[in-house]
Amino acid sequence: MNNEAAVNRKIRTQNRSKLRTTVQIGMLGAIALVLMFFEFPIPFIAPPFIKMDFSEIPVLVGTFAMGPLAGVLIELLKNLLNLVIHGTTTMGVGELSNFIIGCAFVVPAGLFYRKKKTRVNALKGMAAGTLLMAAMGCLTNAFIMFPLYSTLMGIPMDSFIAMGTAIHPAIDNMVSFVILCMVPFNLLKGIVISFITLLLYKRLRVLLKGE
């Protein structure tokens, strides 16, 4: 009888934990969505259609608190909510790119932090995530996202290159565009998001984990 009661308590605890995790994923996804509203360009680095926002902060916090899979789910929820509420002006290409590059940032951070939950590992993880995000952004934009967007929207690739050339005269093709515009943009974004998250995470972790 005691064994049965212990099993029931364990099941109830697991169910409560799953429910709490689900609620937190939903809450952080919603916060990330709100932060997406406050996007802004960085005109000295990239053309104005490439915009910065802080929506990766709650995704990163959730990744640290609940693991890389939770981070992926928050990232997915954020982009799905944005599609439902705002629709898309990019035929879904922008949202797909945001999801892929966001995951490239938060998953390495979560994997490093899961091994040993220290500030040093958090920093290592965010540094690794920043570098992977820059590399992934470079590759996917050059060979998938921009060509796909160009095809779907009927916008010549030369139009993107021309906007890049206006900022960096050395840009003369898509490869130089992503190297000189997208890589610095994603590196800056990763550094800023990491810094803010590091400042906020200790208090937010207490709220999330009930510690």
Side-chain angles (χ1 to χ4, degrees):
M1 190 69 179
N2 288 336
N3 288 338
E4 183 179 350
V7 169
N8 289 335
R9 281 197 301 272
K10 184 178 180 180
I11 292 172
R12 287 196 297 270
T13 300
Q14 290 174 340
N15 289 337
R16 283 196 298 270
S17 178
K18 289 177 182 178
L19 178 61
R20 183 174 64 182
T21 298
T22 301
V23 170
Q24 289 176 174
I25 288 172
M27 176 186 70
L28 290 169
I31 294 171
L33 171 68
V34 172
L35 291 176
M36 288 184 81
F37 299 166
F38 303 99
E39 59 182 9
F40 55 92
I42 306 179
F44 59 90
I45 292 180
F49 70 89
I50 299 170
K51 295 181 180 180
M52 172 88 162
D53 66 62
F54 298 113
S55 63
E56 303 305 334
I57 294 174
V59 183
L60 193 53
V61 169
T63 302
F64 284 156
M66 296 174 282
L69 179 57
V72 171
L73 293 175
I74 297 166
E75 189 72 48
L76 178 62
L77 178 61
K78 174 191 79 172
N79 281 286
L80 289 177
L81 287 173
N82 189 54
L83 273 172
V84 170
I85 294 173
H86 284 144
T88 179
T89 59
T90 63
M91 300 289 285
V93 176
E95 289 76 18
L96 177 61
S97 180
N98 187 282
F99 172 72
I100 292 173
I101 294 174
C103 288
F105 178 46
V106 302
V107 169
L111 291 173
F112 268 88
Y113 190 70
R114 187 170 64 178
K115 289 181 180 179
K116 192 174 183 182
K117 296 184 178 182
T118 64
R119 181 179 291 267
V120 171
N121 264 25
L123 283 169
K124 288 180 180 178
M126 289 187 290
T130 297
L131 293 175
L132 183 59
M133 177 172 65
M136 186 67 72
C138 186
L139 292 172
T140 58
N141 280 305
F143 300 110
I144 300 173
M145 299 305 170
F146 277 113
L148 180 59
Y149 182 71
S150 175
T151 300
L152 292 175
M153 302 298 291
I155 300 174
M157 292 284 284
D158 289 344
S159 298
F160 302 123
I161 296 168
M163 285 187 275
T165 304
I167 300 172
H168 302 287
I171 293 175
D172 58 3
N173 55 42
M174 184 49 64
V175 173
S176 58
F177 178 95
V178 296
I179 290 174
L180 294 176
C181 288
M182 300 307 302
V183 170
F185 177 87
N186 282 320
L187 287 175
L188 177 62
K189 181 176 181 178
I191 291 168
V192 171
I193 297 298
S194 298
F195 178 73
I196 296 173
T197 302
L198 199 63
L199 292 177
L200 297 177
Y201 178 67
K202 189 172 182 180
R203 289 185 178 181
L204 291 175
R205 188 181 66 160
V206 172
L207 294 174
L208 287 169
K209 302 300 287 184
E211 295 173 353

